[in-house]
Amino acid sequence: SKLAQLCYKSNDILLATSMLIDGSLMNVMYQKPFFHVTLETITTTLLKNEEDLPPTVPQDRYNQEIVPVLLKALDGIEWLDEEAKRIFTKRISNNLNSAPNSNKLEACFSKYGYVLTKADKKAINMRNSTFHGTLSSEKKPIQAQQDEMFAVSLRLHKLCSILLLKAADFSGKVLNNEVLFGIKSACEDKEPIYVEL
């Protein structure tokens, strides 16, 4: 019932939850980017009103010491056209000091007390290449990558589910589908069949 309440409070959580369910029925090759979007949506929504992500440098110090130096350097580039200067000035002033997206995604898990494994972090950090259009490796045939894509999709699905369940105050065990499906890396790492939340 608490998960249903989360869905009623936020359209984005409702859509992300639906994507999580529907994404499981998609072709394996489409699941990874689909679940990256789902994970991004869940974390953005759950951290929306939070101060969980500190800036790269304390904001006051950034504004006082770094912004003036960067803006002066930018003004010193004579060949740069006005539109480029406007764009760079806006970035320096507004979002250059924000934490990277991977930090945001990982911070959401620590907020809910879930410790990410090395394999979890690797799957999360694939988001940058996914969102910039790299959906597979060009070094080997697409068919040869299906097992790896399936493994990443299962892990992302599990991570999305964990966040939703933790946000709904669930405690208990969830099934680790990577182990259930016999994914080699998960089995070799002796991951448990149940993840304790």
Side-chain angles (χ1 to χ4, degrees), residues 16-30:
T17 304
S18 297
M19 288 172 71
L20 197 57
I21 295 164
D22 292 342
S24 303
L25 304 174
M26 297 176 96
N27 183 305
V28 167
M29 289 187 246
Y30 307 145

Side-chain angles (χ1 to χ4, degrees), residues 18-95:
S18 297
M19 288 172 71
L20 197 57
I21 295 164
D22 292 342
S24 303
L25 304 174
M26 297 176 96
N27 183 305
V28 167
M29 289 187 246
Y30 307 145
Q31 288 182 12
K32 184 178 90 161
F34 200 75
F35 290 146
H36 270 125
V37 171
T38 305
L39 182 62
E40 184 87 17
T41 302
I42 292 167
T43 55
T44 298
T45 305
L46 294 177
L47 293 175
K48 195 169 274 182
N49 299 317
E50 299 286 333
E51 297 298 323
D52 292 335
L53 288 176
T56 307
V57 173
Q59 195 62 42
D60 288 345
R61 190 167 189 185
Y62 175 80
N63 289 337
Q64 293 169 4
E65 298 177 31
I66 297 175
V67 169
V69 172
L70 293 176
L71 291 177
K72 184 177 179 183
L74 188 61
D75 280 339
I77 304 172
E78 294 176 8
W79 57 266
L80 198 60
D81 67 51
E82 289 305 312
E83 179 63 12
K85 281 187 182 181
R86 184 189 68 74
I87 291 168
F88 290 137
T89 299
K90 188 175 178 181
R91 287 185 183 168
I92 290 167
S93 301
N94 294 334
N95 68 353

Side-chain angles (χ1 to χ4, degrees), residues 130-146:
T130 298
F131 286 173
H132 291 106
T134 304
L135 302 178
S136 65
S137 171
E138 295 297 327
K139 296 179 180 175
K140 53 186 174 180
I142 194 84
Q143 298 298 346
Q145 299 176 61
Q146 282 191 330

Side-chain angles (χ1 to χ4, degrees), residues 36 39-44 47 53 100-110 116 124-125 127-128 131 163:
H36 270 125
L39 182 62
E40 184 87 17
T41 302
I42 292 167
T43 55
T44 298
L47 293 175
L53 288 176
N101 279 328
S102 62
N103 290 18
K104 174 185 80 173
L105 298 175
E106 291 180 18
C108 201
F109 288 94
S110 58
L116 293 167
I124 289 170
N125 287 322
R127 126 210 221 278
N128 286 340
F131 286 173
L163 278 181

